[in-house]
């Protein structure tokens, strides 16, 4: 999912009409790249293979959004970000309390506030559209 946020964030920087959506896309690229790099280090230390590409659902969303522009792109992108970040916040809350692996549990707890910030920002943009 983090890789998806990076790819869609790059797309938002190119196609969004709203400066707030472009800025949100930039934040997605930076924050999710940073989190992804940290996750890769944890996974490498534990000999866990991470996916190399985004999944089919994410690719379909990227393809759909790439065909849009202007306000239509902005609305659909931010709607997707609200939906995705609601799921991510819920998953990371659960992981931060339930995971047994201390490194992954710490990663979830450390990343959760950033995901909540993303959700709050996406919801704020969405309410202004």
């Amino acid at each position: 999912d983090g890789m998806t946020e990076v790819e869609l964030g790059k797309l938002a920087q190119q196609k969004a009409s709203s400066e707030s959506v472009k800025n949100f896309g930039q934040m997605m690229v930076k924050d999710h790249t940073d989190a992804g790099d940290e996750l890769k280090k944890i996974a490498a230390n534990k000999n866990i293979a991470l996916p190399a590409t985004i999944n089919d659902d994410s690719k379909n969303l990227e393809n759909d959004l790439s065909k849009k522009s202007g306000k239509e792109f902005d609305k659909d992108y931010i709607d997707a970000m609200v939906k995705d970040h609601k799921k991510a916040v819920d998953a990371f809350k659960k992981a931060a309390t339930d995971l047994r692996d201390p490194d992954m549990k710490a990663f979830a707890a450390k990343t959760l506030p950033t995901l909540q910030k993303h959700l709050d920002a996406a919801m704020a943009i969405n309410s202004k559209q």
Side-chain angles (χ1 to χ4, degrees):
D1 288 344
M3 288 186 293
T4 300
E5 304 304 349
V6 171
E7 293 305 312
L8 296 181
K10 290 176 183 175
L11 196 58
Q13 290 175 75
Q14 297 168 7
K15 298 185 81 57
S17 62
S18 162
E19 198 62 33
S20 62
V21 174
K22 286 183 182 198
N23 291 339
F24 183 86
Q26 183 177 17
M27 180 173 62
M28 291 300 95
V29 171
K30 182 199 177 306
D31 291 351
H32 284 280
T33 297
D34 292 347
D37 290 346
E38 186 175 346
L39 184 59
K40 286 176 190 172
K41 289 177 189 172
I42 294 169
N45 288 337
K46 297 179 180 299
N47 294 317
I48 297 171
L50 296 176
T53 60
I54 61 177
N55 65 35
D56 288 343
D57 288 341
S58 296
K59 192 64 174 163
N60 290 338
L61 177 59
E62 181 182 24
N63 288 337
D64 183 51
L65 287 172
S66 70
K67 297 172 188 165
K68 298 177 180 182
S69 61
K71 291 181 188 263
E72 181 185 24
F73 173 88
D74 293 359
K75 181 189 181 319
D76 290 353
Y77 171 70
I78 290 298
D79 285 349
M81 292 300 96
V82 169
K83 179 182 170 190
D84 290 353
H85 282 86
K86 280 182 179 178
K87 287 192 302 190
V89 165
D90 288 345
F92 274 68
K93 280 181 182 175
K94 184 171 174 38
T97 57
D98 294 350
L99 283 178
R100 291 189 182 138
D101 183 290
D103 297 326
M104 291 305 297
K105 188 173 187 172
F107 173 77
K110 177 182 175 187
T111 306
L112 180 57
T114 302
L115 293 172
Q116 185 65 56
K117 178 181 83 169
H118 294 168
L119 176 58
D120 294 345
M123 290 174 63
I125 293 168
N126 202 20
S127 71
K128 294 177 185 173
Q129 292 184 342

